[in-house]
Amino acid sequence: MAGLSLTSYAARRAALGLMQVLAVVTLVFFLVEALPGDAAVALAGDNPDPARIAQIRAAMGLDRPAPERFAQWLVGLPQLDFGESLVSGRPVAQFLSAGIGPTVVLAVLTLVLLVPISVLVGVLAALREGSLLDRALTSVSVALHSIPEFALAVVLIAVFGVQLGWLPPTAVGADVLTEPAVLVLPLVVLLARPICSISRLVRAGMVDALASDYVRHARHLGIGETRVRFAHALPNALSPAVQQVARTTDWLLGGVIVVEAVFVIPGLGTVLVDAVAARDLPVVQGLAVVFAVTTVAVNLVADLVGFRLAPRAEVVA
Amino acid sequence: MSLNRRGFLGLTSGLAVVTLAGCGSATSASSTPRTGGRLRAAFAGGGAKEVLDPHLANLFVEAARSKAMFDKLADLGGDVSPQPRLAEKWEPNADLTRWRITLRKAVFHDGRPVRAQDVLASYARILDPNRAFRAKSSLALIDLPNSRVVDDLTVEFALKRPFGEFPNALAAFGAYIVPEGAEDFTKPVGSGAFSFVSFEPGRSVLLKRNPEYWEGAPLLDELEFVIANEESARTNALLGGQVEYAHDLTPTTARSHASGDRMTIHRSPNSAVQAFAMKVDRPPFDNRDLREALFLLADRPQLVESVLAGSGQVGNDLFGKGYQHYADLPQRERDLDKAKFLIRKAGAEGLVVKLDTSTAAAGMVEAATVFADQAKGSGLTIEVAQGNKDSYWADTLKNGSLSSFRSGAMPIETHVAQRLLSGSGTNVTKWARPEFDALHEKAVSTSDATARTEAYREMQRVLHTEGGYLMWGFADWIVGAKPNVGGISTAPANTLDWARFDKVWLG
């Protein structure tokens, strides 16, 4: 890292990110083009009269060559013009803004709960390494981590939503901000696995850090045990967990399709599934931009945070 | 993990006990109509695809919403025959080329009356050569320049050829009447039983009672359509009290909740035909004996029991059981020996036939698998090939020789015109016979009811003997509702009374 300031490092990463976004968007366009059937075929559905499909195709402008349509879409991109949905004619930006709301609310709430809980669990387990508490936390997190989201969701809905009736089983028709109760079960499902994986990482990092030379040195200098643990050991222990938090954030912001489908949360994942089934290319493209940008940005932030927490650690561009 | 699994099993047995305990009080649906309340109805949606323009309606939820807000001139009754709606009556001339329609007195939600001009403008919009509305092919026989407004409540349609089934066209999917000049449907204005309040694409549409509705104001104050794409989510939302009506449930759900007290199951028989389509223009099914062999291989009761979980009826290789003009011919049954003989006679012993299928419609893959199994030991091997669901109907229209097929309700004439004539746009069995075309022509161009019935019967007799459709069953359309919801009709899907909410009440 010699001679590389944080700012120039960030700028270089941002430029690289831009290239990555463009590459993703191009790839997605041609992959969707390669799927069998186009928007006209998907819309015609079980009434696939070739004459009608040709008319729909013409009405959607799909009779123009694919590179031409891609180029036209690309020209609008710098002005943040994502084009219009082929099927409904509404601007793609509208779909994105409608889907981002629920996805971001869910992602932010998950992270707000996830980080403190998993750090706390990890640190507790590490400080009492080998104790009954440590072993209990380990068993529970390993068990929980092995349950897939959809299975946990189905069981939670059956028990708390339908059988006991304590919580709404789905978020159907609800506004997630005015009826926060609909978010409880989805949050539990989204938290279950990340809490396990991140707390395991924090625990491992903390155990390593507490056994390290610098902690021993700090103790020799007579620094208080609390300060040693939380000011010296913890930041170093968090560094590996930050990468995992970044991956989780990326996963959450991509719209967790299974969770959205089971709980009827109209987020980005639902928009994506609908758009791909309809072959609504402009909408898929818009989502590809959003997903690519979030992935690049989240990873950049994670690297920067990791760099601040443990400046001695290697940061690979 | 074993702890979790035990917990889960305990839970399911708990549910079973509750279900059993619920027996006996199952049919407590309130029987006296009441006014008021908001009914929330869960449908599958299309997110990006959803629109409020009734002419663009394509999905079930769009059809149901259009029906609530708009009217057609005619719509399909319980026997899938056209019933007058905005049209009070229709009178053809002697050669069935000019039809005079008298409109009933009705008003749009903004207070303007529904006039003959609105009718002509709506149809002109659907027939616009630069657009691709679904009802276009049904209305294509209207000679628009020669059609005219007689007075505010009378319109006269000129047709390009004699057509006795013109009222079917007036009832076509999406042939709604909108105010003249309407192009912006962000706040739709129709003449239907409910008027528009708000729309969030992919999430919900809220409508309210139209007190001026010509057929009488609805009982409900408000009607909200909410979107839940997964069937399990619609079921859970209903069980959890988040909606009062859940559209399109599976036979399995119906079976497990039929005796419970948390939801009432409403079944609409004869809603969706389930079939296999053989292409008669290419080997191997250009051989009539082989088609008959397939007819005889199908064990229809077993298909209905296993694929439809009993929620349906066996088919007799003819479309439209229970509909107007349906020919009640002797029921075909499985006859393995005769099928074997026909397969040998056709020289098809040892032949492997690919059966194209996909998850484009519920139950198709399962039906294909069961049928392939039923063909075992006949000398013919059926190999199930699963294709892409989003392009399935277009793919199977062109390619392959045997494919899964399903269709919703429509008049038998429409089925014939769209699928069984030389010039039909969606002729998946490639059935193209001049003498059959002539029979159809005779049926639709005569005003003699007996001659028409005879022509329909003859067409169906030919199809039953040697057609390309092996129609093995008719699936019930299944809707779940809270037990306090009354007035839900069990007319086949796609007809007027299906997903119709102005006669529904909350008890």
Side-chain angles (χ1 to χ4, degrees), chain A residues 36 41 43 45-50 55-56 87-88 90 95 155 157 162-163 168-170 172-173 261 264 266 274 277 279, chain B residues 8 15 46-50 58 132 134 136 201 203 226-227 229-230 233 236-237 240 242 262 388 390 393-394 397 425-426:
Chain A
V41 168
L43 183 67
D46 63 353
N47 185 11
D49 184 340
Q55 281 174 349
I56 299 175
V87 186
S88 70
R90 283 194 292 271
F95 290 99
V155 173
I157 289 175
V162 174
Q163 183 72 0
T170 71
V172 68
V264 202
D274 288 338
R279 303 286 187 271
Chain B
F8 180 71
L15 284 174
K49 285 192 281 194
E50 283 181 40
N58 207 29
R134 191 172 174 133
K136 193 173 180 175
R203 191 179 299 177
V226 293
I227 299 302
N229 288 332
E230 295 294 314
N236 288 330
Q242 295 183 299
R262 299 181 78 164
N388 183 286
D390 301 318
W393 303 109
L397 181 61
T426 53

Side-chain angles (χ1 to χ4, degrees), chain A residues 20 25 27 67 74 125 176-177 193 245 257 260 268 272 279 284 311:
Chain A
Q20 288 169 326
V25 164
L27 194 67
L74 218 49
V176 293
L177 291 178
R193 295 179 76 180
V245 172
I257 293 172
E260 287 188 4
L268 290 176
L272 178 67
R279 303 286 187 271
V284 178

Side-chain angles (χ1 to χ4, degrees), chain B residues 382-403:
Chain B
I382 293 177
E383 226 174 55
V384 177
Q386 202 169 327
N388 183 286
K389 74 174 170 53
D390 301 318
S391 57
Y392 176 77
W393 303 109
D395 294 342
T396 53
L397 181 61
K398 291 195 295 275
N399 310 323
S401 60
L402 179 64
S403 58

Side-chain angles (χ1 to χ4, degrees), chain A:
Chain A
M1 297 302 291
L4 192 58
S5 77
L6 204 60
T7 333
S8 71
Y9 169 69
R12 228 182 57 189
R13 283 289 304 270
L16 183 72
L18 196 67
M19 298 302 292
Q20 288 169 326
V21 170
L22 278 178
V24 166
V25 164
T26 313
L27 194 67
V28 165
F29 181 88
F30 290 101
L31 281 178
V32 177
E33 275 292 310
L35 280 176
D38 60 9
V41 168
L43 183 67
D46 63 353
N47 185 11
D49 184 340
R52 182 160 180 264
I53 290 177
Q55 281 174 349
I56 299 175
R57 213 166 260 158
M60 287 178 171
L62 283 175
D63 43 359
R64 293 177 302 142
E68 188 190 318
R69 282 182 282 126
F70 184 59
Q72 193 203 6
W73 180 83
L74 218 49
V75 169
L77 197 56
Q79 295 122 51
L80 288 180
D81 174 9
F82 293 102
E84 283 180 352
S85 149
L86 289 176
V87 186
S88 70
R90 283 194 292 271
V92 170
Q94 238 179 56
F95 290 99
L96 301 182
S97 59
I100 280 176
T103 297
V104 166
V105 167
L106 215 52
V108 168
L109 285 177
T110 309
L111 288 172
V112 162
L113 294 168
L114 170 67
V115 174
I117 295 178
S118 48
V119 169
L120 190 71
V121 170
V123 169
L124 268 181
L127 292 181
R128 313 251 171 106
E129 196 194 346
S131 71
L132 192 65
L133 178 74
D134 180 28
R135 274 179 291 162
L137 287 174
T138 302
S139 328
V140 169
S141 47
V142 168
L144 208 54
H145 193 258
S146 54
I147 305 177
E149 281 87 24
F150 75 88
L152 186 60
V154 167
V155 173
L156 289 180
I157 289 175
V159 177
F160 297 103
V162 174
Q163 183 72 0
L164 297 173
W166 291 352
L167 289 162
T170 71
V172 68
D175 186 336
V176 293
L177 291 178
T178 55
E179 293 165 67
V182 300
L183 289 176
V184 175
L185 291 179
L187 278 176
V188 172
V189 172
L190 287 176
L191 280 169
R193 295 179 76 180
I195 281 187
C196 302
S197 59
I198 292 168
S199 65
R200 299 302 298 155
L201 285 172
V202 171
R203 180 190 172 279
M206 196 72 181
V207 167
D208 282 353
L210 288 174
S212 70
D213 290 343
Y214 66 84
V215 164
R216 207 172 308 127
H217 188 64
R219 281 185 183 137
H220 284 161
L221 290 176
I223 299 173
E225 186 59 24
T226 314
R227 197 157 160 228
V228 167
R229 281 175 181 173
F230 295 103
H232 294 275
L234 186 61
N236 282 286
L238 287 184
S239 183
V242 168
Q243 290 300 325
Q244 185 61 30
V245 172
R247 268 192 288 275
T248 308
T249 309
D250 197 27
W251 173 69
L252 290 167
L253 288 176
V256 184
I257 293 172
V258 172
V259 172
E260 287 188 4
V262 175
F263 290 104
V264 202
I265 296 167
L268 290 176
T270 308
V271 177
L272 178 67
V273 170
D274 288 338
V276 170
R279 303 286 187 271
D280 202 337
L281 241 173
V283 179
V284 178
Q285 289 286 95
L287 286 165
V289 173
V290 171
F291 293 153
V293 169
T294 26
T295 305
V296 167
V298 164
N299 282 298
L300 176 59
V301 170
D303 285 349
L304 296 178
V305 169
F307 185 69
R308 292 291 304 165
L309 281 175
R312 282 171 306 275
E314 273 298 305
V315 181
V316 183

Side-chain angles (χ1 to χ4, degrees), chain B residues 194-217:
Chain B
F194 293 90
S195 62
F196 176 78
V197 178
S198 64
F199 175 39
E200 287 178 82
R203 191 179 299 177
S204 93
V205 167
L206 182 62
L207 309 177
K208 67 172 195 290
R209 173 212 310 255
N210 169 14
E212 308 300 323
Y213 191 47
W214 58 267
E215 212 184 8

Side-chain angles (χ1 to χ4, degrees), chain B residues 277-308:
Chain B
M278 302 175 266
K279 289 190 171 40
V280 304
D281 68 336
R282 62 195 69 173
F285 297 109
D286 53 350
N287 186 316
R288 184 186 152 162
D289 289 329
L290 204 59
R291 298 203 293 275
E292 194 182 345
L294 245 60
F295 285 148
L296 295 170
L297 279 177
D299 183 341
R300 294 147 211 262
Q302 189 189 53
L303 280 161
V304 169
E305 190 45 45
S306 57
V307 178
L308 305 179

